[in-house]
Amino acid sequence: MSAESRRALEAIIMVTDSPLEAQMLAQLTEQSLSEVESQLAELAAEFAEQGRGFQLAHVAGGWRFQSHPDMAPYVERFVLEGQSAKLSAAALETLAIVAYKQPLSRAQIAAIRGVSVDSVVRTLEQRGYIGEVARDPGPGQAVLFGTTPLFLERLGINSLADLPSVAEFVPGADVVEALEQGLRVDAGGPVETPAAVDDSRPALTELLDGDGPA
Amino acid sequence: MSAESRRALEAIIMVTDSPLEAQMLAQLTEQSLSEVESQLAELAAEFAEQGRGFQLAHVAGGWRFQSHPDMAPYVERFVLEGQSAKLSAAALETLAIVAYKQPLSRAQIAAIRGVSVDSVVRTLEQRGYIGEVARDPGPGQAVLFGTTPLFLERLGINSLADLPSVAEFVPGADVVEALEQGLRVDAGGPVETPAAVDDSRPALTELLDGDGPA
Amino acid sequence: MPYEVQTPVFEGPFDLLLHLILREQVDLYEVSLSRIVDAYLQEIERMEVLDLEITTEFLLIAATLVELKCKRLLPEDTDVDIDDEFALWEERDLLIARLLDCKTFKDAAGVISTLFDAAALSAPRTAGLEERFMELAPDLLEGVDLDDIRNAYIRATIPKPRPVVSIEHIHSIRISVTDAVEELIDELPRLGRVTFRRLTGTLVERLEIVVRFLAVLELFKQGFVELDQPAAFGDIEIIWLGSPAMAVADLSDIDSYEG
């Protein structure tokens, strides 16, 4: 494999916070999918052979660096003794998006973050900070996520209305598009607030104005 | 170095999201600080030698993995996301003053810059580059500012000692001479040597030899 | 031509003085002192809270400048009090020391800027813990406050800078100074007197404006027009001197410019 593309793959995967699909990596390094896939496999084998404390792993449909399972006792100790017991930047951002834009689907979160969010969403769900609050009325009936009472409790607030306003902040065009995309595909017409959604949650139509919870 | 402790270091650093101190790494791998430090340096050299697309870097008093600068064009997409707008010349100068003269008060910064610095100081505080590090013990108890670990991280240096010495920036004799020339004490009429001229003032003696205003 | 001090460009009086002395090599004698003093006063007005210490220092500097200048304008007084003379030197040396301090940190800022740029080429790993370790922590929101959530949201949704390939420069225009001269010879006699800004008011491409400027200079060289610019960077006034019947000298060697 070319040294340049190998180095590029290592660099990109090192700095992204969720697994990256091979397709995306192929695009970023301007190579074919099959070239990238064989490079990634070769690279993963190389790190394994060198007996590194980390692995290049294929998880959740993407590639990422992660600690080697053999080293779990050290990482566990780090979690318990160190200051590491907190959400990653990626997880915190995902949680913030759900808090301000709920209810929204996994696909909408992924479109806003620009990366796959499956593992992060799973973590947040497991910890009880977000949960299913409705089903998309459209054909796919996608799960729509929202924050839970536990989330409010841990932040020490009574309702979503207590979140600091982001009204003066204008999100990027890609964010607005990601949310619109969900609407067009799912409903195709004027959207009504899904019946099951708590009234305190802003409707999607409100969200398109770019505001946070009223 | 022992393979086990090397692998443990690699695994732990892989899962931290901010630079991790060698002291903490020593504690987690049950080694002495000096052992860990030499292992880390060795490991960093090994990745460099292998021509990896990432580096093990020593910044802001800790260790972290980061993408290799050569790979900037590939990671730009991700790097750009977290990057905020460049600092103005005024902000950079103020930051330089704080970096070299800390701790110091807003009034002391203003005295050096010759302008009020309230808004610039606020900007630097918001960016997280400077913060309150102490209070002036005198009356008024003015806030004393200093730089933060984030400042070191963004500069890619390990400690303030890594900044070039301020002596390197002290203007040379040519600048001093130009300033003295520009601000020379000059008289309009034919000049006579005042009786008590101090020889140590070169600009003045020079002046006396030379001409008055044309 | 009077020396225009463009105060808004400068970061305060020290910056201004440094610029004047070091880069412009302007003799203090030639500078309108009132402008520098104005800059000081403006700075004092701009201060949100009147800081007596800074204000006093400003006044001291301004006073030193005034005194230095007076000394150089007035014929020498033979009864100079030697103590006053020394006091002035001391003030001057103090001012020079302050200017040197200011210059030192200006240069240091350059290095800090370079370090910022170099460090920006590397992106840190921020992925954090893998999910399987998350369960070990009792509360992952420990220490997270509302502002953290808000900042995380803004970070996640901030408009992302996208690399844009500018194609503006591809659009090429081709204009020759000869054509511009001919246009001016047609236009100027009717206008008689016109400012350069008005003359180029309808042009959008910088190159077109540059070419027109070259054409004006060409006409000036050949004595067709008189130019007047009362202030540096001020508008240029063009006054037509010739008559429409006058023949234009050989313009064949005037270049054409391609954008």
Side-chain angles (χ1 to χ4, degrees):
Chain A
M1 76 181 99
S2 107
E4 175 83 356
S5 59
R6 173 186 57 74
R7 297 183 84 202
L9 289 176
E10 288 175 352
I12 296 166
I13 298 171
M14 188 57 84
V15 303
T16 57
D17 38 34
S18 334
L20 268 184
E21 285 170 25
Q23 183 59 58
M24 168 76 99
L25 290 166
Q27 209 177 311
L28 290 169
T29 57
E30 290 173 358
Q31 295 178 101
S32 73
L33 182 60
S34 64
E35 275 174 318
V36 164
E37 277 174 340
S38 75
Q39 275 182 9
L40 289 165
E42 215 173 301
L43 209 45
E46 190 181 327
F47 289 124
E49 204 176 291
Q50 289 185 354
R52 292 283 159 215
F54 54 84
Q55 304 174 311
L56 179 59
H58 196 195
V59 286
W63 291 81
R64 73 167 181 198
F65 281 113
Q66 63 182 31
S67 59
H68 195 287
D70 291 353
M71 296 297 114
Y74 292 98
V75 176
E76 279 166 20
R77 186 186 285 182
F78 171 54
V79 174
L80 296 172
E81 292 179 23
Q83 65 281 65
S84 62
K86 59 183 185 198
L87 290 174
S88 68
L92 195 59
E93 283 176 20
T94 303
L95 185 57
I97 291 168
V98 175
Y100 279 101
K101 292 291 179 187
Q102 58 191 297
L104 81 175
S105 69
R106 196 183 269 110
Q108 284 175 311
I109 303 170
I112 293 171
R113 298 223 55 241
V115 286
S116 131
V117 292
D118 294 0
S119 64
V120 171
V121 165
R122 204 162 40 241
T123 302
L124 293 173
E125 233 188 324
Q126 276 169 2
R127 298 308 300 226
Y129 300 144
I130 66 171
E132 175 178 342
V133 293
R135 285 277 173 169
D136 193 317
Q141 301 241 311
V143 172
L144 297 181
F145 290 92
T147 52
T148 61
L150 178 68
F151 169 77
L152 299 179
E153 194 187 301
R154 287 288 151 84
L155 280 175
I157 54 175
N158 279 323
S159 80
L160 291 171
D162 295 337
L163 283 174
S165 164
V166 289
E168 76 279 19
F169 172 75
V170 182
D174 46 346
V175 173
V176 176
E177 198 191 324
L179 291 166
E180 270 176 357
Q181 197 66 34
L183 281 185
R184 271 203 303 274
V185 173
D186 298 337
V191 177
E192 283 174 46
T193 313
V197 171
D198 181 337
D199 272 345
S200 70
R201 302 183 190 285
L204 280 175
T205 39
E206 278 168 37
L207 295 170
L208 289 174
D209 296 329
D211 296 333
Chain B
M1 73 180 102
S2 107
E4 175 82 357
S5 60
R6 174 186 55 74
R7 297 182 81 201
L9 292 176
E10 289 175 349
I12 298 167
I13 298 171
M14 195 56 86
V15 300
T16 104
D17 58 4
S18 52
L20 201 57
E21 285 172 26
Q23 183 58 59
M24 168 66 79
L25 289 165
Q27 191 186 317
L28 293 169
T29 57
E30 292 173 356
Q31 295 178 101
S32 73
L33 180 61
S34 65
E35 275 173 319
V36 164
E37 278 173 341
S38 75
Q39 278 181 9
L40 289 165
E42 216 173 297
L43 207 45
E46 191 181 326
F47 289 127
E49 205 176 289
Q50 291 184 355
R52 295 281 159 216
F54 54 83
Q55 303 174 313
L56 179 59
H58 196 194
V59 287
W63 292 83
R64 72 174 185 196
F65 280 115
Q66 65 181 30
S67 60
H68 194 287
D70 290 354
M71 296 297 112
Y74 296 100
V75 297
E76 226 155 41
R77 185 193 126 95
F78 303 101
V79 179
L80 278 176
E81 286 181 14
Q83 222 176 37
S84 31
K86 284 201 163 199
L87 289 174
S88 67
L92 279 168
E93 279 174 43
T94 305
L95 196 51
I97 291 168
V98 176
Y100 282 101
K101 298 221 137 179
Q102 60 190 307
L104 81 176
S105 69
R106 201 182 266 114
Q108 286 172 308
I109 304 169
I112 294 173
R113 299 211 62 236
V115 289
S116 60
V117 293
D118 294 0
S119 71
V120 175
V121 166
R122 209 160 33 237
T123 303
L124 293 173
E125 253 190 303
Q126 281 167 357
R127 292 267 188 113
Y129 297 156
I130 67 171
E132 175 179 342
V133 291
R135 288 274 174 169
D136 193 327
Q141 304 232 315
V143 173
L144 298 179
F145 292 94
T147 53
T148 62
L150 181 69
F151 167 75
L152 298 176
E153 213 183 314
R154 288 293 151 82
L155 238 51
I157 59 174
N158 189 42
S159 79
L160 289 170
D162 292 343
L163 283 175
S165 155
V166 76
E168 287 176 33
F169 306 115
V170 172
D174 51 333
V175 173
V176 179
E177 201 176 311
L179 287 175
E180 285 187 332
Q181 185 63 23
L183 294 171
R184 66 191 189 276
V185 182
D186 213 329
V191 183
E192 277 174 54
T193 314
V197 167
D198 183 346
D199 275 343
S200 71
R201 302 182 182 281
L204 196 67
T205 37
E206 192 179 281
L207 216 199
L208 297 169
D209 300 330
D211 32 61
Chain C
M1 193 184 295
Y3 193 88
E4 282 279 334
V5 175
Q6 308 224 328
T7 41
V9 185
F10 296 101
E11 274 292 323
F14 284 166
D15 199 26
L16 174 68
L17 260 184
L18 272 177
H19 176 85
L20 290 175
I21 298 172
L22 295 182
R23 264 159 286 176
E24 299 291 307
Q25 301 201 317
V26 168
D27 194 313
L28 188 63
Y29 179 67
E30 292 164 19
V31 181
S32 159
L33 204 55
S34 68
R35 288 182 181 278
I36 296 180
V37 174
D38 277 352
Y40 277 78
L41 292 177
Q42 271 174 19
E43 200 48 55
I44 289 169
E45 274 171 26
R46 224 169 45 192
M47 283 184 203
E48 283 168 21
V49 187
L50 191 69
D51 184 317
L52 199 61
E53 205 174 319
I54 301 176
T55 313
T56 316
E57 280 177 24
F58 279 175
L59 288 177
L60 193 61
I61 291 165
T64 308
L65 289 173
V66 171
E67 202 173 352
L68 282 171
K69 178 141 182 172
C70 287
K71 288 284 291 177
R72 290 162 62 179
L73 288 176
L74 299 173
E76 182 155 31
D77 183 352
T78 44
D79 302 325
V80 178
D81 182 335
I82 221 73
D83 286 343
D84 285 353
E85 192 83 31
F86 267 125
L88 179 58
W89 289 334
E90 264 175 39
E91 286 307 331
R92 186 206 66 152
D93 286 353
L94 194 63
L95 180 55
I96 288 176
R98 304 284 299 278
L99 287 171
L100 287 174
D101 219 15
C102 190
K103 172 115 176 62
T104 300
F105 290 111
K106 261 181 166 334
D107 294 346
V111 169
I112 285 185
S113 174
T114 311
L115 286 171
F116 263 124
D117 289 347
L121 293 174
S122 286
R125 176 168 173 88
T126 56
L129 275 183
E130 292 129 32
E131 322 75 66
R132 63 197 157 107
F133 297 108
M134 291 285 189
E135 288 154 30
L136 294 172
D139 178 13
L140 296 174
L141 285 178
E142 178 88 51
V144 172
D145 64 19
L146 291 173
D147 280 342
D148 293 333
I149 296 283
R150 179 179 189 272
N151 293 341
Y153 170 77
I154 289 173
R155 244 187 355 256
T157 59
I158 205 157
K160 294 172 182 58
R162 297 225 176 270
V164 176
V165 179
S166 167
I167 51 161
E168 260 172 56
H169 61 281
I170 294 171
H171 164 71
S172 91
I173 43 168
R174 195 183 166 83
I175 353 156
S176 74
V177 177
T178 316
D179 291 346
V181 166
E182 277 169 13
E183 274 170 40
L184 289 178
I185 286 173
D186 180 52
E187 237 174 298
L188 287 176
R190 276 185 282 120
L191 297 167
R193 188 183 267 266
V194 68
T195 65
F196 187 69
R197 253 168 226 169
R198 245 193 80 199
L199 200 61
T200 53
T202 57
L203 303 180
V204 279
E205 293 286 349
R206 190 156 52 168
L207 187 68
E208 288 180 278
I209 297 169
V210 171
V211 166
R212 207 151 247 234
F213 185 65
L214 291 174
V216 169
L217 288 183
E218 188 62 35
L219 289 175
F220 176 72
K221 205 166 75 189
Q222 295 188 20
F224 284 81
V225 295
E226 182 62 59
L227 300 180
D228 188 23
Q229 186 177 24
F233 306 110
D235 209 343
I236 304 165
E237 194 163 35
I238 304 158
I239 305 119
W240 179 255
L241 298 176
S243 70
M246 280 172 77
V248 180
D250 186 20
L251 295 169
S252 60
D253 59 347
I254 299 172
D255 302 329
S256 65
Y257 293 82
E258 198 169 332

